Amino acid sequence: MSRQIPESELILNADGSIYHLHLKPENLASLVFTVGDPDRVEKVSKYFDQIDFKGQKREFVTHTGRLKGKRVTVMSTGMGTDNVEILMTELDSLVNVDLKTHTVKPRQQALDIIRLGTSGSMQPDLPVGSLLAAEVAVGIDTLMQFYPHLEGNQNWSQLVRDTLGLTFLPYQASASAELLAKLPSEFHRGVTLTAPGFYAPQGREIRLKPKLENMIERLAELEEGGLKMTNFEMETAGYYAMGQLLGHRMLSLNAIVANRPNGQFDKEAEKTMDRMIHTALDVYC
């Protein structure tokens, strides 16, 4: 018999919706696109043929509708793997936990979850305006210190730890091969670094000098299995790790809006993002 999850662990709102996302199971499609910025949700859902549901709580904005006959959800997450952990746990609960009995369902459902985000390039030959799919992601945040061990190759994790002299082991997880295979050739493939912040954790100096000097340059020089680290952002590794543990198919697509080695920022970042959104909807819907 399935364990009954205490109400203090699986928290519901008064209307029976899941606590942070404020969604009920019927509000969610099995294909989910995620964006960081709440204002970006409408930039995705404007392409839907119809919108059947709109909801919002805190930074989590959700639109569910149909495109080309396929039911699809787009929702915002805010920034960082702490938000991703909440999102992934509650999305999984919506499909794999009976919210009325607080028990895990006997048959598990896998969601297709595709992140549509912005990212910075750490390689000079990956220009702004490019689109990149994260084939592998390495997290230098500590989220996975609190979850079961991730199975599979952790070579990048060990390499990053040794290079930066970290006191903990980063974590490594991969995209869904099935979702990755559907992408057109215009998408570069890469190894993505997920950082726990935007400034010092990504080697930026404003008034405070980062403790890890020349961090991006040092990581850009690394090579493992014939691959180099290509880009950095703040969510992908959390998505991939939680997806691997929970059994969902994950993919992170990145609009490259900054190139750190060249000191460039994409002056048409919104157009680059819109091109990625339009392409992703066309491929997966």
Side-chain angles (χ1 to χ4, degrees), residues 3 19 38 49 60 81 86 96 98 107 145 151 153 172 174 181 192 205 228 232 244 273:
R3 175 179 75 95
Y19 185 60
D49 295 325
F60 300 107
T81 59
I86 292 171
N96 289 321
D98 186 322
R107 296 185 64 181
Q145 300 295 310
E151 300 295 334
N153 189 330
Q172 174 181 341
S174 299
T192 297
E205 179 179 352
K228 286 193 171 184
F232 50 92
Q244 179 178 322
M273 189 69 192

Side-chain angles (χ1 to χ4, degrees), residues 148-164:
H149 175 73
L150 286 167
E151 300 295 334
N153 189 330
Q154 292 294 317
N155 290 349
W156 271 108
S157 300
Q158 295 162 7
L159 192 57
V160 169
R161 178 189 61 185
D162 295 344
T163 300
L164 298 182

Side-chain angles (χ1 to χ4, degrees), residues 128-200:
V128 297
S130 300
L131 304 180
L132 180 140
E135 195 165 1
V136 176
V138 182
I140 57 171
D141 61 296
T142 57
L143 177 61
M144 284 299 116
Q145 300 295 310
F146 300 91
Y147 280 98
H149 175 73
L150 286 167
E151 300 295 334
N153 189 330
Q154 292 294 317
N155 290 349
W156 271 108
S157 300
Q158 295 162 7
L159 192 57
V160 169
R161 178 189 61 185
D162 295 344
T163 300
L164 298 182
L166 300 177
T167 57
F168 63 93
L169 181 66
Y171 58 97
Q172 174 181 341
S174 299
S176 160
E178 181 181 346
L179 294 178
L180 201 58
K182 294 181 179 181
L183 285 174
S185 59
E186 69 177 294
F187 280 84
H188 298 265
R189 306 291 177 90
V191 179
T192 297
L193 180 81
T194 294
F198 185 77
Y199 290 99

Side-chain angles (χ1 to χ4, degrees), residues 103-134:
T103 57
V104 176
K105 295 178 181 179
R107 296 185 64 181
Q108 301 301 289
Q109 178 183 342
L111 297 170
D112 289 330
I113 302 173
I114 302 170
R115 172 187 175 270
L116 304 171
T118 57
S119 185
S121 167
M122 61 174 72
Q123 298 294 342
D125 59 352
L126 182 61
V128 297
S130 300
L131 304 180
L132 180 140

Side-chain angles (χ1 to χ4, degrees), residues 203-240:
R204 290 184 172 94
E205 179 179 352
I206 307 300
R207 286 212 314 128
L208 296 177
K209 186 176 181 62
K211 184 177 181 179
L212 302 177
E213 293 188 11
N214 301 315
M215 172 184 165
I216 296 301
E217 292 83 357
R218 290 155 65 193
L219 292 175
E221 292 175 354
L222 299 180
E223 189 168 334
E224 165 60 32
L227 300 175
K228 286 193 171 184
M229 196 164 277
T230 50
N231 64 304
F232 50 92
E233 43 72 87
M234 294 175 59
E235 289 91 31
T236 298
Y239 273 117
Y240 285 8

Side-chain angles (χ1 to χ4, degrees), residues 17 30 34 51 73 75 87 94 99-100 106-107 127-128 148 159 165 168 172 183 200 232 254 277 281 285:
S17 61
S30 60
T34 64
I51 298 174
T73 292
M75 58 193 311
L87 175 91
L94 286 169
L99 300 186
K100 293 181 179 178
R107 296 185 64 181
V128 297
L159 192 57
F168 63 93
Q172 174 181 341
L183 285 174
F232 50 92
N254 299 267
I277 290 169
L281 292 175
C285 293

Side-chain angles (χ1 to χ4, degrees), residues 269-285:
E270 286 301 317
K271 289 184 179 180
T272 302
M273 189 69 192
D274 185 66
R275 176 162 54 93
M276 183 175 70
I277 290 169
H278 191 272
T279 303
L281 292 175
D282 189 54
V283 169
Y284 296 105
C285 293

